[in-house]
Amino acid sequence: MTNLQDMDEATAEFAGLPYVTELRSAEALSQRVGSAVVPTRIRVKRGRSAIVSWRRKGEGSLGGLQSWGWSAVVTSADKLANIRRRAARAGEPVVVHECSEPRSAGATGSVLLSGSVLADSKLGKEIARATQSLSGADALEVIRYNPGRRVLLKHTGQTSGDPEFIRIGTHSQQHLVRTTAQWARWGLPTLPVESVGSRGTAVRSPWWGTGDLETHPDLAAAEEAGVIIAELHRHTPAEGVPGFSTSPIDQAAAAADVLSQLLPEVGGATEDLVRRLHHRVGNEGGTVVGAEAGLGARAIHGDLSPDQVLIGHSECRIIDLDRAGVGHVGMDLGRWVAACRRRTDVAAETLEAGFLDGYRSAGGAEVDVEAWAVWAMLVTALEPWRECRPDWQQATLRAIGDAQQALTASERRVS
């Protein structure tokens, strides 16, 4: 395992935990799990714990929930006992791969272990309860899994044969029910969301469309998405918008801090980006000041990108309203533009230009789009690492470099 661990020294130094580089390596993780798996998303609490989701591939794929699982490093004896106890209640095994010696008097050492989705100590019970409420609950396909937080499923009922989207979390998902109802009252195209079961931790919505704008880029649909978001941004907190206000510069500063810990060589660059963004779109107490100060907080999507726009029958639906709430409209525009610029094909310009044309034609707010795009590049620069991409260092460095170049170029145009 030594050579595999040496492949990602940055992660090892950042986490301060043994075994953690194995969690991000498909080869090392497959050896531990005993079948071919691919890590999909990692979360680290420095010096305390790390957990990664994985999916089986090839002949090892078992279908449904059995094709996904998690592996973790824990240092707390109480946490280890809790994981084992809850998995035993669910009748699910937890495999302990290896233990390290305690690092100091009273410490428990580190334990590397793995389990199934249903052995998830925080999420397993919610999944079991929610799937009991479904007809044909065996017809399940995992779309995405974030250990200890949420799982997204495609469920096809035995009776109707119509697929639906199921979201199960560890906490209440009722904010999604309220938000989608609000959007419907405003006449904004999204998909209805309703509760599954009685606990409020699971919701369902129809499986709609032929794909999303990320995989099926289309100029007309991008323009329509821009019009819809311009309409969304007309609504203010006084209209009862659910969610909460966010501070964009605080988000940028937090991202820069983690980036500098994970990759110390970028610390100066990320700190400089935050300083320059504060000058361009700065905030005081979460309120934007400067040229855009009069815009005020508006209803926003909060995580806007082409893959959040479903298309079908010459129509579109905007989904994934989990982060919808109140904030600066530039956050939506910046996230969209940054997502487009991460592409390397000809569709990147089509999606960016189409969306902005639609937004402006519908009377959308005039904001410093370039600065907000740089903000989004910075706050999403860690995604390649979180997604366990082997090339995460190159991708993250490229994102930071692109942000620097874009901000410098826009500053020259402004001056």
Side-chain angles (χ1 to χ4, degrees):
M1 295 291 179
T2 302
N3 291 336
L4 293 170
Q5 291 174 342
D6 289 344
M7 291 169 59
D8 198 353
E9 294 180 359
T11 295
E13 293 180 8
F14 170 74
L17 295 165
Y19 317 125
V20 71
T21 53
E22 294 186 41
L23 300 183
R24 299 190 69 263
S25 165
E27 182 180 352
L29 198 56
S30 296
Q31 291 178 23
R32 292 292 193 181
V33 174
S35 64
V37 300
V38 178
T40 58
R41 193 162 188 87
I42 193 169
R43 191 167 65 250
V44 172
K45 294 182 180 179
R46 302 184 70 189
R48 296 167 54 193
S49 64
I51 189 166
V52 70
S53 56
W54 46 257
R55 61 174 175 82
R56 301 183 191 275
K57 65 176 184 177
E59 296 180 358
S61 180
L62 304 177
L65 293 171
Q66 299 304 314
S67 285
W68 291 70
W70 54 267
S71 295
V73 179
V74 299
T75 58
S76 164
D78 290 342
K79 186 168 186 176
L80 177 60
N82 183 54
I83 291 171
R84 285 172 155 169
R85 182 172 58 252
R86 294 190 178 185
R89 287 178 188 169
E92 293 288 322
V94 170
V95 178
V96 174
H97 303 294
E98 194 169 343
C99 303
S100 68
E101 292 296 324
R103 289 169 293 172
S104 60
T108 62
S110 297
V111 180
L112 175 64
L113 65 162
S114 297
S116 67
V117 173
L118 290 175
D120 188 309
S121 62
K122 295 181 179 179
L123 197 55
K125 183 185 292 186
E126 302 302 335
I127 295 173
R129 287 173 170 169
T131 53
Q132 286 175 359
S133 303
L134 303 175
S135 61
D138 56 333
L140 294 171
E141 177 185 348
V142 177
I143 305 302
R144 199 153 59 242
Y145 170 49
N146 191 342
R149 294 192 176 177
R150 69 187 67 87
V151 63
L152 310 181
L153 306 170
K154 180 180 182 180
H155 167 246
T156 304
Q158 290 180 337
T159 304
S160 67
D162 294 329
E164 60 182 354
F165 180 82
I166 305 292
R167 177 190 176 102
I168 305 170
T170 54
H171 302 293
S172 173
Q173 304 296 300
Q174 295 309 294
H175 61 290
L176 287 169
V177 177
R178 294 190 297 269
T179 302
T180 54
Q182 179 72 287
W183 277 45
R185 289 193 295 272
W186 287 340
L188 302 174
T190 186
L191 295 177
V193 175
E194 61 181 33
S195 295
V196 174
S198 59
R199 289 178 57 81
T201 55
V203 293
R204 59 163 34 111
S205 58
W207 191 271
W208 185 91
T210 57
D212 58 47
L213 268 180
E214 178 70 22
T215 54
H216 297 79
D218 178 82
L219 177 61
E223 291 175 346
E224 179 63 17
V227 171
I228 294 166
I229 296 302
E231 294 174 356
L232 170 68
H233 288 171
R234 294 192 182 97
H235 297 281
T236 67
E239 298 174 77
V241 180
F244 53 90
S245 180
T246 57
S247 169
I249 296 300
D250 287 351
Q251 290 182 36
D257 181 57
V258 176
L259 285 164
S260 65
Q261 294 174 36
L262 188 58
L263 294 173
E265 64 267 32
V266 306
T270 56
E271 182 180 350
D272 180 63
L273 282 171
V274 173
R275 178 186 59 78
R276 292 159 70 186
L277 284 171
H278 193 285
H279 176 72
R280 290 279 287 271
V281 296
N283 76 18
E284 294 178 357
T287 303
V288 173
V289 298
E292 300 172 13
L295 193 55
R298 300 293 177 91
I300 62 171
H301 180 279
D303 192 24
L304 191 65
S305 59
D307 63 350
Q308 310 295 359
V309 182
L310 299 181
I311 56 175
H313 313 295
S314 301
E315 298 179 356
C316 66
R317 301 286 186 273
I318 298 182
I319 60 167
D320 198 2
L321 308 187
D322 188 49
R323 298 186 190 177
V326 175
H328 193 282
V329 301
M331 298 167 73
D332 278 349
L333 273 63
R335 283 186 176 274
W336 181 281
V337 171
C340 293
R341 293 182 184 178
R342 283 193 291 271
R343 301 179 68 109
T344 57
D345 58 6
V346 295
E349 185 175 351
T350 296
L351 290 172
E352 177 179 338
F355 175 85
L356 292 177
D357 286 347
Y359 184 82
R360 289 162 179 156
S361 70
E366 287 294 330
V367 300
D368 189 342
V369 173
E370 282 299 311
W372 284 107
V374 169
W375 168 83
M377 292 177 192
L378 178 59
V379 299
T380 60
L382 269 174
E383 282 304 296
W385 178 78
R386 293 190 177 111
E387 294 170 354
C388 300
R389 286 173 47 179
D391 66 340
W392 74 269
Q393 292 195 41
Q394 299 95 316
T396 296
L397 291 171
R398 184 166 57 250
I400 295 170
D402 289 347
Q404 290 177 296
Q405 292 178 16
L407 194 57
T408 298
S410 66
E411 286 171 345
R412 288 172 180 165
R413 288 194 296 270
V414 170
S415 60

